[in-house]
Amino acid sequence: MKIGVFICHCGENISSTVDCPRVADVCRGYSGVEYSVDYKYMCSDPGQNLIKNAIHKYDLDAIVVGSCSPHMHERTFRNAAVSAGINPFMVEIANLREHCSWVHDDIEASSRKAIELMRMAIEKVKRDKPLTKIKVPVTKRVLVIGGGIAGIQAALDTANAGYEVVLVEKEPSIGGHMSQLSETFPTLDCSQCILTPRMVEVHQHPKIKLMTYSEVERVEGFIGNFKVTIKKKARHINEDKCSGCGMCITKCPIKKKAYNSFEEDLAFRPAVYVPFPQAIPNIPVIDETVCTYYKTGKCGMCLKVCDREAIDFAQKDTMHVADVGAIIVATGFKLYNIEKKSGDSKYKGYGEYGYGKYRDVIDGLQFERIASASGPTSGEIKRPSDGRVPKKIAFIQCVGSRDDSKGISYCSKICCMYTAKQAMLYRHKVHDGEAYIFYMDIRAGGKMYEEFVRRAIEEDKVKYIRGRVSRIYEEDGKYIVKGEDTLAGMPVEIDADMVVLATAMIPQDGAESLARTIGIPYDKYGFFNEAHPKLRPVESTTAGVFLAGACQSPKDIPESVSMASAAASKAIILFANDTLEREPVVAKVNEDICAGCFYCMKVCPYGAVEVKDVKDMNGIVYKEVAYINQGVCQGCGTCTATCLSKSIELAGFNNEEIFAEIAAL
Amino acid sequence: MSLCYQCGKCSAGCPVRYYMDIAPNKVVRLIQLGYYEEALKSETPWLCAGCLTCSVRCPKEFDLAKFMDAVREIAIEKGVEVKQENILKFHKAFLDQIKNHGRSYEVGLVAEYKMKTLDLFQDVDSAPGMFLKGKLDLLPHNIKNRKEIKSIFKKTSGKK
Amino acid sequence: MKYGYFPGCSLTSSAKEYDISLRKVIDKLGISFDEINDWSCCGATSAHVTNHKLSTALAMRNIMLAEQQGLDNIIAPCAACYNRLIISQNEIGKHSGIRKETEDLLSVKFKKDIKVFNILELFLKSGINKIIENRKRELSELKAACYYGCLLVRPAAITKFDDAEEPESMEKIIEATGAGAVDWNYKTECCGAAHSIARRDIVVDLSKKILDDAITHGANVMVVACPMCHTNLDMRQRAMKRKYPDHKEFPVLYLTELIGLSLGMDEKELGIDLHYTNFKYADTLLNNSAKG
């Protein structure tokens, strides 16, 4: 085997503390080394040509480059080797920069260390085997989880590019939080008016299969080849027969047993219901927990009035399997609430604001419903407790956000804007009403956002008070809000008729367990982690799984929509090829010596280990061994290290290669 | 100190806020900015009742009540003129009783406080009542090991 | 169950009735106390607001005595003493420097983790059922405003027994006596505490607000567990009356006195006559004491 050695100076990054010519000289003396040279910039075009020419001239079989981290230029040097006719896996990188020159200052000592690093790499390359990339097919169908505005946008973009979409939504209707909003900042256009056409488009799109009232149960497989199991919860309504006439809803005798969650518990709903009139699909759901039929076996009023025989009390949850090539996660957010939390909760409640015992102390989404023309008060601003029109409202920002003591340190980002909007809407609807906003900072970075906040202050006379509120308590039907104007240095007490808390956006219930099901990482709050905060913001670290909207961090509508389109385009890019190439650095089991203990299966973070039957000549199974799915394996090496019988080898990093490196030290 | 982001929740909930010259959060601000003298001269730390409302509600978990203890201690150490001098005189009179007897001695406390402040008439309404009800003992409750208490006072009073 | 007992200075003078009633009640409930020998003042507000080292040493001296006496725990009925003791304990537990400094001052090494309990914890742990069993008098006429003040539940991270904003442990005890408890706003607002003498004006204003809120919410008696609060809310009602002429006298009882009443003890026995305000229900209550 003829080996070429190439030592890079990296300008002065390496050469200032490593004597590069000396390293090249010493390497030249090692057995198997045919050619050794140092150069100022090995990654430059002339540097790469130096490598290519040497390969041709000296008929090299393998090369070792002493340079920066393989994260930077491994691909560069492998490509150079390939163009000169060498297998890319016959290239080794010795990291002389991050592991040597940058972290030492003694030239003599670091030169010696550089020589050691090179010798190790040379010994490894001698044992390297040529490897070929693995090709896997791609299923050109995408799963979108979550039917809020982000999921809707991602589904439409992918479907309009010609690919099939399975859109899974856990609620009975798509639309998400955006369908609950009254008007949107900074333009004050009606949220439902701009959203519902999109919802209809999803419903009618021939490429989109909509699965509402459904949840993802299991995800198997890998990029290009996911197998997803979806649970479709029983609606107790036959979807094919139901015409959406609503007779069952009108006639249901249960009127005040269940809170209407779409109305943020400000109203009741019957036992059979659709969340809101524009629901997609317009098919009701029977709530077993309150329906009389499920308690006593009697009633059945809906059954009697349905002339299409769509009511099906016996309907059961069903499981469905979908093969998809990519997954877009768009599960969105929910709001932190101030109620007392159990001891194991990550968050604490606000006892100083009454732990939610005051009925007119509401959160931002409740105010949206009260201000919405389709809401429980038909858009008239009224107090939930007694229906009176509040003449003074205190809005409090940063409730639960930027509050370490309650467990949330982050800024919830959109509250400054929606609070300004809500105060503005209130002033538009109640002309003699006073609106106070307690804030810490106004964060209005966005197109026309700052102008919008100024408009609330200058035109709509909303009074901003800089200071956090310490306490709220009820006195004679008023809510005493105790604050401090930190700009004036004066204590402030507002006797408000109603208090609106801009509570923090937190991940949806079950976000963490869904992340574990899919196999994507999340942060300490349960927001899903992107692969790189700047350069790969819509990809998860799991190949083929993309993120959209507030499931990744608090976001407003335009940001969620942009991210959804970006995630869709990532899926579309994936589908541009019929097969995928994967790195061949994967683990392989030696079936002869595998003891079948399956420790590897327990430790594999990617679920790549399967059970394989080994049969004798007569086709009778005589043992079970581990089998590693090469499409799923990410080459992390955990199984290799865990294997008790030493029967797993990682291609490109096998035991012989590693021991040779160590022995060279 | 850098924890405080000046939200003012401490001042908003402070029960004695209305009697203070500057808001509690401003005392922190002055010290953040290096205006130590202004902070030490303020009445605010002396009016702080130590009720801990600020500390338990602080979103940054900054123990402002303890911080106020430190400000007062430094003010005494530096000999800064205390505007709420009666409050300081009360604390001194109280500690004198403990130093001498090991326990609080209310008759001695009130006598010493009144001598120091020359505020002879306040509380004339409650003292006789307390005597009548047998609540004020004319003699102090001396503990046995007063030597130890005196030594604790001596060792902790030295200039640091 | 046997507890170490740290009465604190107030319970030997201005809050004598708290000590008297506590001893009577626990005796009846079969709980016994072992008083710390030669205990001294916890340092109170005056020490911690002026000299941190002194305040820790004064508080820890009593913990030291308890340890030497072989006690596992201490009941500190005075909320202020309780607070000083647990905060000092917590500090020496967290900061080895302060621990060393204090140990040097007292020439001692702290070995044992002595649990300091407040009066509410005492009754929650070993009193509720016994109170119910031994109840002799009907108290349902009473609507109590349970006043925790500042120092009983704060800081919750250290006291760790009830919520700092919406505590409810005292209400549980009150319910065991058969009296009612009202929901009100000022459970944990400060009464002005140690400013009682030097800034009586502040104490009068703050205490007045507290009493008024209790009355507004339908209370006919206030129940406290702190001598300092009791002084401010009870004794200062005279000064309150001068500043706010329409102020109506409002009775303020120690928790132990209310428990004592439910156990059938009389007003004098419990020291209720030592208060400045009259407990106007006493007569009617004593008249219908025949239940047991």
Side-chain angles (χ1 to χ4, degrees):
Chain A
M1 177 181 267
K2 291 178 186 168
I3 299 164
V5 170
F6 302 87
I7 308 294
C8 179
H9 293 212
C10 195
E12 289 188 338
N13 274 300
I14 296 175
S15 63
S16 64
T17 37
V18 170
D19 182 349
C20 296
R22 182 180 148 201
V23 176
D25 274 349
V26 174
C27 290
R28 200 170 294 127
Y30 291 138
S31 77
V33 174
E34 186 73 14
Y35 176 72
S36 179
V37 69
D38 61 294
Y39 186 72
K40 192 152 187 158
Y41 287 110
M42 208 58 87
C43 61
S44 67
D45 265 358
Q48 291 186 51
N49 285 333
L50 180 72
I51 296 176
K52 291 180 205 167
N53 292 339
I55 293 172
H56 288 306
K57 192 171 170 192
Y58 299 99
D59 193 20
L60 301 175
D61 302 306
I63 63 167
V64 177
V65 186
S67 61
C68 54
S69 161
H71 278 296
M72 297 291 295
H73 279 302
E74 186 178 63
R75 184 176 292 187
T76 310
F77 297 127
R78 281 185 170 171
N79 287 343
V82 169
S83 69
I86 293 187
N87 182 285
F89 294 91
M90 300 303 287
V91 174
E92 286 294 331
I93 308 289
N95 185 352
L96 303 189
R97 194 176 73 176
E98 286 84 346
H99 284 181
C100 190
S101 69
W102 274 359
V103 289
H104 304 298
D105 45 22
D106 181 280
I107 293 185
E108 172 54 29
S110 47
S111 299
R112 272 191 280 124
K113 178 171 173 182
I115 291 166
E116 299 263 336
L117 291 170
M118 288 305 297
R119 194 164 63 210
M120 288 167 70
I122 291 167
E123 286 307 314
K124 177 158 189 285
V125 88
K126 283 182 187 169
R127 288 156 184 84
D128 279 350
K129 307 239 171 359
L131 301 171
T132 42
K133 293 208 169 179
I134 300 167
K135 283 195 190 302
V136 286
V138 179
T139 307
K140 297 185 179 180
R141 185 182 297 117
V142 69
L143 168 73
V144 177
I145 309 173
I149 184 59
I152 288 173
Q153 184 68 36
L156 286 174
D157 283 350
T158 324
N160 287 336
Y163 299 107
E164 286 180 18
V165 176
V166 179
L167 175 57
V168 174
E169 165 59 49
K170 72 171 174 183
E171 297 294 328
S173 169
I174 56 168
H177 286 308
M178 189 174 166
S179 62
Q180 291 177 286
L181 308 183
S182 53
E183 293 169 11
T184 56
F185 61 81
T187 45
L188 294 188
D189 40 5
C190 152
S191 185
Q192 286 206 338
C193 311
I194 55 177
L195 176 68
T196 45
R198 297 284 176 105
M199 291 165 59
V200 173
E201 201 183 332
V202 165
H203 196 41
Q204 294 172 346
H205 205 294
K207 293 276 183 187
I208 299 177
K209 182 181 177 190
L210 182 58
M211 295 182 73
T212 51
Y213 210 47
S214 302
E215 288 178 44
V216 171
E217 283 283 298
R218 199 157 66 237
V219 175
E220 295 156 288
F222 52 94
I223 180 169
N225 299 275
F226 293 108
K227 193 173 135 194
V228 183
T229 309
I230 300 155
K231 179 168 87 180
K232 201 167 173 1
K233 293 176 278 186
R235 283 181 120 96
H236 304 299
I237 305 278
N238 185 323
E239 292 182 35
D240 299 328
K241 290 184 183 166
C242 174
S243 67
C245 70
M247 268 313 266
C248 52
I249 301 171
T250 322
K251 296 290 180 191
C252 177
I254 301 290
K255 295 292 179 208
K256 289 200 165 178
K257 272 195 188 162
Y259 282 112
N260 185 332
S261 57
F262 181 81
E263 299 294 1
E264 292 294 325
D265 297 355
L266 293 170
F268 296 99
R269 60 158 168 77
V272 54
Y273 69 102
V274 288
F276 53 104
Q278 302 91 328
I280 299 277
N282 185 24
I283 296 167
V285 167
I286 297 176
D287 178 354
E288 281 181 51
T289 60
V290 287
C291 173
T292 313
Y293 180 86
Y294 287 97
K295 291 202 168 123
T296 62
K298 292 190 187 115
C299 186
M301 179 61 88
C302 45
L303 199 64
K304 285 172 213 139
V305 298
C306 181
D307 54 14
R308 299 176 71 105
E309 298 179 336
I311 307 290
D312 180 3
F313 288 123
Q315 196 180 66
K316 293 268 179 301
D317 296 351
T318 48
M319 292 293 180
H320 304 260
V321 174
D323 291 314
V324 299
I327 299 173
I328 296 174
V329 189
T331 50
F333 71 97
K334 66 169 195 169
L335 284 186
Y336 162 97
N337 73 44
I338 64 169
E339 282 165 25
K340 202 169 186 172
K341 314 277 191 282
S342 72
D344 61 351
S345 168
K346 281 187 277 199
Y347 312 121
K348 278 190 207 136
Y350 274 78
E352 59 268 47
Y353 298 171
Y355 281 135
K357 75 175 170 187
Y358 304 127
R359 284 184 66 198
D360 302 319
V361 177
I362 59 174
D363 69 25
L365 273 175
Q366 288 178 316
F367 187 85
E368 291 294 336
R369 291 316 301 151
I370 291 174
S372 172
S374 67
T377 57
S378 305
E380 270 189 78
I381 309 292
K382 287 177 177 172
R383 308 209 307 178
S385 63
D386 55 9
R388 279 199 300 126
V389 176
K391 293 295 177 194
K392 209 186 267 184
I393 297 190
F395 293 86
I396 304 176
Q397 294 191 181
C398 300
V399 176
S401 57
R402 303 178 70 193
D403 192 335
D404 298 0
S405 70
K406 308 297 183 198
I408 300 177
S409 305
Y410 59 83
C411 165
S412 185
K413 198 174 184 181
I414 67 161
C415 324
C416 285
M417 292 308 297
Y418 81 64
T419 304
K421 176 200 75 182
Q422 291 178 343
M424 212 185 248
L425 290 179
Y426 168 64
R427 291 276 298 129
H428 292 173
K429 291 185 181 216
V430 183
H431 297 294
D432 58 343
E434 288 176 83
Y436 293 88
I437 296 181
F438 288 90
Y439 72 103
M440 290 209 291
D441 301 286
I442 300 175
R443 295 181 171 173
K447 195 169 181 176
M448 295 300 289
Y449 283 12
E450 172 65 15
E451 295 92 322
F452 183 78
V453 173
R454 291 311 308 173
R455 195 176 125 199
I457 297 169
E458 291 164 16
E459 287 176 26
D460 295 308
K461 309 296 176 208
V462 174
K463 297 186 185 85
Y464 273 77
I465 297 171
R466 196 204 167 278
R468 237 183 211 277
V469 168
S470 178
R471 202 164 170 228
I472 302 170
Y473 58 86
E474 194 178 359
E475 206 172 86
D476 301 331
K478 299 261 188 191
Y479 298 95
I480 310 299
V481 179
K482 279 178 68 121
E484 165 94 12
D485 187 320
T486 57
L487 298 179
M490 276 169 54
V492 178
E493 266 188 31
I494 306 284
D495 53 338
D497 298 308
M498 187 170 179
V499 181
V500 182
L501 309 175
T503 49
M505 285 170 110
I506 58 175
Q508 264 299 352
D509 287 332
E512 292 177 12
S513 73
L514 179 69
R516 286 194 292 271
T517 303
I518 306 172
I520 55 172
Y522 49 91
D523 67 14
K524 66 171 174 175
Y525 304 108
F527 287 117
F528 304 140
N529 281 345
E530 64 285 357
H532 188 283
K534 293 175 184 67
L535 301 178
R536 296 171 68 194
V538 303
E539 292 158 75
S540 77
T541 50
T542 301
V545 181
F546 309 111
L547 309 173
C551 62
Q552 183 255 348
S553 73
K555 276 182 186 57
D556 61 13
I557 297 167
E559 279 183 317
S560 297
V561 171
S562 318
M563 198 177 175
S565 289
S569 75
K570 285 284 172 191
I572 295 165
I573 292 166
L574 182 64
F575 296 163
N577 298 303
D578 292 330
T579 55
L580 287 174
E581 276 200 340
R582 300 205 51 239
E583 289 289 297
V585 179
V586 290
K588 195 160 190 272
V589 178
N590 181 341
E591 291 174 6
D592 294 338
I593 54 173
C594 171
C597 70
F598 297 105
Y599 278 148
C600 49
M601 192 182 248
K602 287 188 195 126
V603 297
C604 177
Y606 305 99
V609 182
E610 297 163 11
V611 179
K612 185 183 171 185
D613 295 336
V614 183
K615 295 171 185 165
D616 64 13
M617 287 189 305
N618 302 321
I620 295 166
V621 177
Y622 70 94
K623 74 166 180 176
E624 284 183 338
V625 294
Y627 170 77
I628 291 160
N629 184 326
Q630 305 221 322
V632 187
C633 176
Q634 299 289 317
C636 71
T638 309
C639 56
T640 319
T642 311
C643 181
L644 297 174
S645 58
K646 299 274 168 272
S647 50
I648 307 180
E649 292 273 29
L650 189 60
F653 295 93
N654 66 33
N655 285 343
E656 192 199 349
E657 291 161 355
I658 303 289
F659 285 135
E661 278 193 279
I662 297 167
L665 259 179
Chain B
M1 180 60 57
S2 56
L3 277 180
C4 173
Y5 56 19
Q6 289 292 314
C7 72
K9 196 177 183 185
C10 47
S11 306
C14 178
V16 280
R17 171 69 187 95
Y18 284 94
Y19 307 90
M20 291 170 166
D21 52 353
I22 60 172
N25 67 292
K26 202 167 165 190
V27 176
V28 183
R29 188 68 188 143
L30 287 171
I31 291 182
Q32 278 180 333
L33 294 174
Y35 297 120
Y36 303 118
E37 214 184 304
E38 287 78 355
L40 293 177
K41 276 199 310 211
S42 157
E43 294 179 9
T44 297
W46 294 98
L47 287 168
C48 163
C51 72
L52 303 172
T53 306
C54 49
S55 299
V56 293
R57 288 187 192 153
C58 176
K60 296 296 294 177
E61 299 176 319
F62 179 70
D63 191 347
L64 182 57
K66 199 170 163 190
F67 173 85
M68 288 295 184
D69 284 354
V71 173
R72 282 181 290 245
E73 203 167 325
I74 294 166
I76 295 172
E77 221 175 273
K78 297 217 185 269
V80 178
E81 185 203 352
V82 176
K83 280 193 216 140
Q84 286 290 332
E85 55 175 355
N86 283 4
I87 293 177
L88 179 58
K89 281 174 182 164
F90 169 79
H91 291 316
K92 283 190 169 151
F94 184 92
L95 290 175
D96 278 347
Q97 307 313 310
I98 301 170
K99 187 156 83 184
N100 293 331
H101 311 295
R103 291 182 193 167
S104 155
Y105 170 45
E106 281 157 359
V107 173
L109 163 67
V110 171
E112 184 180 334
Y113 174 74
K114 290 199 177 295
M115 288 303 288
K116 279 183 171 165
T117 58
L118 300 175
D119 172 16
L120 300 177
F121 298 103
Q122 197 187 331
D123 273 313
V124 283
D125 57 343
S126 48
M130 278 177 100
F131 276 118
L132 287 176
K133 287 174 192 285
K135 283 187 164 186
L136 282 189
D137 291 318
L138 283 173
L139 294 175
H141 293 269
N142 284 325
I143 69 161
K144 286 186 213 123
N145 200 345
R146 293 198 295 283
K147 230 173 89 187
E148 183 175 52
I149 299 287
K150 282 217 166 69
S151 133
I152 294 173
F153 269 87
K154 205 172 153 212
K155 285 188 205 157
T156 53
S157 70
K159 290 263 177 275
K160 280 150 247 171
Chain C
M1 173 137 188
K2 202 173 172 75
Y3 291 95
Y5 182 48
F6 177 73
C9 308
S10 300
L11 274 81
T12 65
S13 54
S14 57
K16 263 187 179 152
E17 64 273 33
Y18 192 11
D19 181 67
I20 295 168
S21 54
L22 173 59
R23 286 176 193 269
K24 289 252 159 68
V25 164
I26 60 149
D27 192 43
K28 188 95 178 180
L29 299 180
I31 303 167
S32 63
F33 276 172
D34 192 355
E35 188 169 333
I36 298 174
N37 296 325
D38 209 36
W39 58 267
S40 50
C41 173
C42 67
T45 309
S46 295
H48 86 82
V49 302
T50 56
N51 186 334
H52 184 258
K53 258 195 209 177
L54 174 68
S55 98
T56 312
L58 285 175
M60 288 310 292
R61 179 180 181 268
N62 296 298
I63 306 270
M64 170 187 84
L65 292 177
E67 193 174 324
Q68 286 164 357
Q69 208 169 313
L71 301 169
D72 299 319
N73 54 47
I74 302 173
I75 297 293
C78 165
C81 297
Y82 162 72
N83 199 266
R84 285 325 307 159
L85 293 180
I86 52 159
I87 286 189
S88 302
Q89 232 185 359
N90 184 61
E91 281 198 344
I92 73 151
K94 271 203 179 134
H95 307 283
S96 54
I98 298 177
R99 184 190 192 96
K100 171 124 205 337
E101 190 179 85
T102 311
E103 287 182 338
D104 289 349
L105 270 171
L106 297 169
S107 318
V108 72
K109 280 259 178 273
F110 294 109
K111 293 189 197 85
K112 234 160 92 178
D113 182 23
I114 294 192
K115 272 299 292 173
V116 179
F117 294 121
N118 61 40
I119 194 85
L120 300 181
E121 286 173 293
L122 169 71
F123 288 113
L124 286 179
K125 273 179 203 310
S126 36
I128 297 250
N129 289 336
K130 288 181 194 157
I131 294 172
I132 296 170
E133 281 163 27
N134 291 289
R135 224 152 70 182
K136 294 241 163 55
R137 190 181 274 134
E138 180 60 45
L139 293 181
S140 58
E141 226 183 302
L142 287 183
K143 297 282 168 271
C146 294
Y147 179 63
Y148 296 78
C150 329
L151 299 175
L152 216 46
V153 286
R154 291 188 192 129
I158 297 175
T159 59
K160 279 186 195 142
F161 85 101
D162 203 346
D163 193 272
E165 298 291 350
E166 294 269 328
E168 48 199 17
S169 49
M170 204 190 298
E171 279 82 353
K172 279 186 201 147
I173 300 166
I174 294 292
E175 275 158 26
T177 67
V182 299
D183 187 17
W184 62 306
N185 293 321
Y186 279 64
K187 280 183 191 185
T188 61
E189 283 294 306
C190 176
C191 63
H195 289 326
S196 194
I197 291 180
R199 285 298 303 266
R200 194 172 69 178
D201 56 326
I202 296 179
V203 166
V204 164
D205 290 352
L206 298 184
S207 301
K208 168 78 177 152
K209 273 196 204 162
I210 293 166
L211 292 170
D212 282 354
D213 189 68
I215 295 165
T216 310
H217 287 84
N220 51 25
V221 61
M222 182 165 295
V223 181
V224 302
C226 169
M228 207 150 57
C229 300
H230 193 271
T231 307
N232 288 344
L233 291 168
D234 175 71
M235 189 172 89
R236 290 290 173 226
Q237 285 196 36
R238 290 189 182 190
M240 220 175 273
K241 179 94 183 146
R242 280 200 298 275
K243 188 164 178 188
Y244 304 97
D246 59 347
H247 175 73
K248 295 228 165 31
E249 196 176 283
F250 190 75
V252 184
L253 291 188
Y254 283 108
L255 174 64
T256 45
E257 293 171 335
L258 189 89
I259 297 173
L261 287 173
S262 83
L263 298 178
M265 297 167 195
D266 71 31
E267 196 186 355
K268 252 208 160 69
E269 227 182 323
L270 294 164
I272 296 177
D273 59 329
L274 299 179
H275 296 338
Y276 284 78
T277 50
N278 280 316
F279 180 50
K280 57 184 170 186
Y281 300 92
D283 291 341
T284 47
L285 285 168
L286 294 181
N287 291 338
N288 61 34
S289 65
K291 197 182 155 198

